[in-house]
Every structure is written in C-alpha cells, then in structure tokens.
Amino acid sequence: MEWGGFSSSLLPRTQYDEALDAVSVNPGEQIFEKLLSGMYLGDIVRRVLLRLAEEAALFGPSVPPNLLIPCILGTPHVSCMHQDKSSDLQEVGRILSNVLGIHETSLELRKLVVEVCSIIAKRAARLAGAGIVGILRKIGRDRSKHDGSSSHRTVVAMDGGLYEHYPLFRAEMKAAVVELLGSEVAENVLIELSKDGSGIGAALLAAAHSKYSRYGW
C-alpha cells in the first residue's frame, strides 16, 4: 500500500513540519510521508534543535553553524542517539560533535537531545500504527471473535530501513496498534518485516491484472 500521499486537517502537523514541507521538492504533497518517513525525521529533529538554539541558547550564546544546514542530521543519527544506553550518552555526544559541530556537551544537554529524538520518533511511530489500524477497520479486521464476526489472523508486511533498523520505533508502532485495537484483537495482527515490499506489491498487482484481463476487466 502506498499511503505517503494521505493528507488530512486532523494530522498533527507543527510549524516544523510546515517549514520542512515548504522547502521540499513537492510542497503540499506526500504529507503523511513527511510526518513519519525516515527520509524526513532527522531534519525535523534538526529544526527543533535549531529553534531551541535560537530562542533558548541551548548550545550557548551562538547558534552552531551546522544546525543551519538542511538534512545534515539523518534518521540513522536520530536512531543512534535515541537508543544510546551508555551512562554518559557517549554516542549522543559523538554525533553532536562530529555531525553538528557541538562540542563539550553536558549530560543534561545530551538527555534533552534524546528526549527530542524520542518525541519525534514516537509521534511518527504512533501515526504509522494509526494508519495500520485505519486500514484494518476499513477491511473489517478490527473486531474480536466475541462480537459475532469470524476471527482472522492478519499479517501486515512492513518494508523499509526505519522499521528494520530502529527497534524503539518498531516497538512504539506496535504498542499504538495494541492501544487502538485492544489487546485481544491485536493478538491476531502480526506485523512482520518484508524486504522489497515495493517489488512484491508490483508483482502481486501484475498477477492480479493478468488474471482478470482474460475476462476483459
């Protein structure tokens, strides 16, 4: 399923999302994708840190020049910082220094950066989970076996490096599905990694088309 182009006034867009969209190659398009795709999460984090640097002098009296560079912070950087388990958040300090040019950071500051990464990743993961639940409701797979409907096991195939390489994102997304469906229904929903989902989807569409084209449909 291609859901990146979904848009709604109910989506929780912020000033950072709107600014990112405005300078993108396709303003006003792929709104859902820009809220949760690995292509954009890193730059949303950068934009939040930039505002904190400008308005709250988070990194000192001057704004670190690298924070002004679009897309310098990637989602792999966000994932590494968010999942840093060291007592002094050493990986966070390394990325701030090597990527953003912010040196000699305190543990308190590093914790704040991790919190920013966590908030943005959690929002993206919960939106992805809500998207899955919306699809399940549309096709009638959101009910328990006690409401008179037949019980189905549904497998949701997920593709992409964000789901594959970002365990905390994956966990938050699954938790959102359980929260929205309820634990009983969610037991019958399996979310599995499926590499090359685009290729598999194209093959399924081609197979379906070849089947029905025989009848002139």
Side-chain angles (χ1 to χ4, degrees):
M1 155 165 272
E2 173 55 58
W3 65 6
F6 173 70
S7 182
S8 167
S9 61
L10 298 178
L11 288 174
R13 299 181 73 203
T14 66
Q15 60 180 293
Y16 311 107
D17 304 304
E18 292 172 356
L20 183 151
D21 177 48
V23 299
S24 69
V25 297
N26 54 349
E29 300 177 6
Q30 299 298 110
I31 297 301
F32 199 49
E33 178 182 26
K34 290 170 182 172
L35 292 173
L36 54 80
S37 167
M39 182 181 297
Y40 301 103
L41 293 188
D43 204 54
I44 295 174
V45 170
R46 180 194 66 83
R47 290 172 183 276
V48 174
L49 295 179
L50 175 59
R51 185 183 179 194
L52 289 172
E54 292 174 335
E55 299 186 7
L58 179 64
F59 303 109
S62 59
V63 175
N66 283 9
L67 267 180
L68 298 169
I69 303 174
C71 301
I72 191 173
L73 192 69
T75 299
H77 297 132
V78 173
S79 174
C80 286
M81 292 192 291
H82 187 191
Q83 299 177 121
D84 188 350
K85 301 300 182 184
S86 62
S87 59
D88 60 350
L89 297 177
Q90 187 176 52
E91 190 66 15
V92 178
R94 183 189 68 79
I95 291 173
L96 290 176
S97 178
N98 294 348
V99 179
L100 297 179
I102 302 169
H103 310 292
E104 298 180 3
T105 51
S106 67
L107 180 59
E108 182 179 9
L109 188 148
R110 294 178 187 184
K111 287 181 178 179
L112 191 150
V113 171
V114 171
E115 182 64 17
V116 171
C117 294
S118 176
I119 290 169
I120 292 170
K122 184 174 183 177
R123 181 190 69 159
R126 290 181 64 82
L127 282 170
I132 291 171
V133 172
I135 296 164
L136 293 175
R137 287 179 175 171
K138 181 68 175 178
I139 63 177
R141 296 293 187 96
D142 63 326
R143 306 180 185 90
S144 74
K145 60 186 178 181
H146 298 302
D147 65 359
S149 62
S150 58
S151 179
H152 298 281
R153 170 157 291 190
T154 304
V155 178
V156 180
M158 297 293 295
D159 188 14
L162 186 60
Y163 182 82
E164 182 178 4
H165 301 299
Y166 200 158
L168 290 179
F169 178 94
R170 191 163 62 238
E172 286 288 355
M173 189 188 74
K174 291 182 177 181
V177 171
V178 173
E179 180 182 332
L180 293 170
L181 286 178
S183 56
E184 183 179 348
V185 177
E187 285 181 357
N188 287 322
V189 178
L190 303 179
I191 304 176
E192 301 287 353
L193 175 66
S194 176
K195 296 185 179 181
D196 191 27
S198 298
I200 295 172
L204 288 172
L205 285 172
H209 176 74
S210 65
K211 175 180 178 181
Y212 291 111
S213 62
R214 289 180 297 174
Y215 302 100
W217 296 354

